[in-house]
Amino acid sequence: MVKKHRNHGLDGLKDYTEGIEGYKKTEVGVIPHDWEVDSITKYCQEIFLGLTAKVDYVNHGGIPLIRATDISNGKLSFQNALFISNKQHKQLTKYRKAKLGDVLVSKSGSLGVCALVDTEKEFSIYESIIVLQPILNKLFSRFLLYLVSFQDTQKRLLGETVGSTVGHLNLNNFKQLQIPLPPLPEQKAIAQSLSDFDTLITALDQVITKKRNIKQSTMQQILTGKKRLPGFSDEWDVKKLGDVLKVRHGKSQHHVVDQNGEFPILATGGEIGRAKTYLYNKPSVLIGRKGTIDIPQYMDSPFWTIDTLFYTDILNNAFPKFIFYRFNLINWYSYNEASGVPSLNAKTIENIEIKLSSVEEQKAISQVLSDMDAEIEALEKKRDKYKTIKQGMMQELLTGKTRLISSS
């Protein structure tokens, strides 16, 4: 049974529950009276670091070595794992090793990223990971995963370094972390509820990946003339990009910056500010001049672009959206002209040769791909909505604001 206490307009958890029957004030905030608070060490058999010995990697066979980069979104991945010999694995795991039901937390790199060990497959853990082995009759593994990855817990553990790629998570500090703990049945109910949302999110991610792969395959076929759309049969011509567009340089934005400006200021990574006027006001394809040179952008509304980002003046014999999609098939790093920071040259871009259809066929191709983009975007919005709902549920369930099981 779900039991929720209303806050009657009060803001914040402490105000929300202050003085309400069935809640108590603790060092981790106000929580239900039947929840415990203690250091995480009390509820774990072991909390330890991965191996710190010198590692000898092997090219074939062997045992996976899981690093901080191999865990994300609550899961560990063996896809990019490095391998050590069976002999070294046995030596390194002689006294302790990660096992089914453990929770892994990154102590370096992106701090505090968590994963649940959901496999009995043999593997070793690198020193960039902290291993939590819960006492299962006190602490449910999947609940521990959600609790440690919960934003409130991370803030108490990491402070201002949450999500940082700088520094290290201290093992001793971690062992002293105070955690709120519901009764075991409620832990399982909370974990199941959040896991159901993870299942939905994962399913959507898989559909999105499939749709993106289909789109990529379709682009390879219809943007090069290998597959034709119904109603089109004219031969495609080989042309230089300079025959259909002119590459233009961006300009310094300092004299046009206005935080309330109507127009976006664009750099290679996207929008970086607002401008009170625009540099260009026609549909255009943009590509990095320096730095990130392989991520084309498309704009069909007025914009300002800085000097590290080219924009294009597209002529009447080409359709801008088609050029954008075609830019996404170009291996831009093969045209890099610098040994240090990657750089492109305007003339080099204009000399690239591509096959082009009639403008009418370009429009039809662009519509097919735009429809696919719209479908993917709708799925992404749905997935992001589920993620937002899940975050809200974590705030409710992991603080006891909403109860899935009534207290006795």
Side-chain angles (χ1 to χ4, degrees):
M1 184 180 82
V2 175
K3 183 178 179 182
K4 183 169 181 177
H5 300 281
R6 299 293 178 185
N7 67 358
H8 305 292
L10 296 176
D11 295 323
L13 179 59
K14 292 186 178 180
D15 291 336
Y16 178 85
T17 55
E18 201 74 61
I20 296 179
E21 183 180 356
Y23 285 81
K24 60 187 177 183
K25 190 173 184 179
T26 72
E27 57 266 50
V28 299
V30 179
I31 61 173
H33 71 89
D34 57 332
W35 287 26
E36 298 179 8
V37 174
D38 213 320
S39 71
I40 195 170
T41 305
K42 178 180 177 180
Y43 305 110
C44 290
Q45 304 173 46
E46 292 275 2
I47 299 177
F48 59 90
L49 290 177
L51 61 93
T52 57
K54 181 181 178 181
V55 177
D56 296 318
Y57 296 111
V58 295
N59 293 325
H60 301 286
I63 303 296
L65 176 64
I66 298 299
R67 303 154 294 164
T69 52
D70 298 315
I71 62 176
S72 65
N73 298 321
K75 300 178 181 179
L76 64 90
S77 170
F78 296 95
Q79 184 174 354
N80 298 312
L82 300 176
F83 291 84
I84 61 175
S85 68
N86 283 269
K87 180 179 180 181
Q88 187 175 36
H89 169 69
K90 290 179 180 178
Q91 291 172 342
L92 295 172
T93 59
K94 184 176 181 180
Y95 299 106
R96 56 168 58 146
K97 63 179 179 179
K99 60 182 187 298
L100 183 69
D102 289 354
V103 172
L104 311 180
V105 184
S106 62
K107 68 172 283 288
S108 59
S110 294
L111 305 181
V113 178
C114 308
L116 177 67
V117 178
D118 59 358
T119 177
E120 293 183 344
K121 181 176 181 177
E122 285 284 323
F123 61 93
S124 283
I125 295 289
Y126 195 54
E127 62 181 343
S128 57
I129 291 176
I130 295 173
V131 180
L132 309 178
Q133 295 186 332
I135 300 172
L136 296 181
N137 63 355
K138 291 185 177 182
L139 181 54
F140 186 56
S141 294
R142 190 167 289 276
F143 177 84
L144 174 60
L145 171 72
Y146 290 123
L147 185 63
V148 175
S149 61
F150 180 39
Q151 186 178 28
D152 287 11
T153 307
Q154 295 250 324
K155 284 182 178 178
R156 287 191 289 110
L157 185 63
L158 301 171
E160 296 303 317
T161 62
V162 172
S164 171
T165 56
V166 179
H168 297 272
L169 183 58
N170 184 280
L171 179 62
N172 290 329
N173 290 346
F174 198 105
K175 289 182 176 180
Q176 296 170 24
L177 175 69
Q178 298 288 304
I179 61 171
L181 201 67
L184 193 60
E186 189 168 4
Q187 292 179 41
K188 292 181 179 180
I190 290 171
Q192 184 60 57
S193 182
L194 295 174
S195 182
D196 288 343
F197 263 87
D198 279 340
T199 299
L200 288 172
I201 292 167
T202 298
L204 279 171
D205 276 332
Q206 291 171 346
V207 174
I208 290 168
T209 298
K210 181 178 179 181
K211 296 288 186 182
R212 285 175 178 164
N213 289 339
I214 292 172
K215 178 196 165 189
Q216 187 64 29
S217 176
T218 302
M219 287 172 64
Q220 294 284 353
Q221 295 292 315
I222 67 175
L223 287 171
T224 58
K226 293 177 182 177
K227 183 177 180 180
R228 305 297 294 276
L229 297 183
F232 296 98
S233 58
D234 292 345
E235 291 293 320
W236 288 32
D237 297 324
V238 176
K239 292 186 178 181
K240 291 182 178 181
L241 284 176
D243 295 330
V244 298
L245 60 81
K246 300 302 176 186
V247 177
R248 307 299 188 192
H249 286 260
K251 295 182 179 180
S252 172
Q253 77 278 24
H254 298 301
H255 66 290
V256 299
V257 171
D258 182 346
Q259 63 180 1
N260 298 314
E262 180 182 353
F263 310 104
I265 300 172
L266 304 176
T268 56
E271 183 175 329
I272 60 170
R274 306 296 294 183
K276 58 189 176 184
T277 188
Y278 58 80
L279 181 63
Y280 195 69
N281 66 344
K282 297 178 183 178
S284 180
V285 181
L286 303 88
I287 191 71
R289 180 183 71 83
K290 202 168 190 177
T292 303
I293 62 172
D294 64 336
I295 303 180
Q297 301 178 49
Y298 176 74
M299 290 296 294
D300 57 5
S301 57
F303 61 88
W304 189 281
T305 175
I306 66 172
D307 60 3
T308 59
L309 182 66
F310 288 127
Y311 68 96
T312 55
D313 182 359
I314 298 173
L315 307 181
N316 292 331
N317 57 346
F319 187 61
K321 199 64 178 288
F322 178 90
I323 297 298
F324 165 70
Y325 287 123
R326 190 61 185 81
F327 266 39
N328 278 276
L329 292 185
I330 295 173
N331 178 10
W332 291 104
Y333 278 101
S334 68
Y335 298 100
N336 176 31
E337 300 192 357
S339 57
V341 177
S343 299
L344 292 175
N345 180 279
K347 289 300 180 184
T348 299
I349 295 173
E350 291 179 355
N351 281 326
I352 295 174
E353 291 186 341
I354 62 171
K355 291 178 69 176
L356 278 176
S357 63
S358 67
V359 174
E360 287 305 311
E361 188 170 0
Q362 291 179 41
K363 290 180 180 179
I365 290 170
S366 299
Q367 188 60 57
V368 170
L369 296 175
S370 292
D371 290 344
M372 298 178 82
D373 279 339
E375 184 181 11
I376 293 169
E377 183 179 357
L379 289 168
E380 289 173 337
K381 286 181 177 179
K382 187 175 182 180
R383 177 202 59 195
D384 293 343
K385 180 181 178 181
Y386 282 142
K387 286 183 176 181
T388 299
I389 294 172
K390 178 193 166 188
Q391 289 301 314
M393 288 180 62
M394 290 178 75
Q395 184 66 48
E396 293 279 329
L397 299 177
L398 295 173
T399 60
K401 189 186 270 189
T402 294
R403 305 295 300 275
L404 297 180
I405 297 178
S406 297
S407 58
S408 56

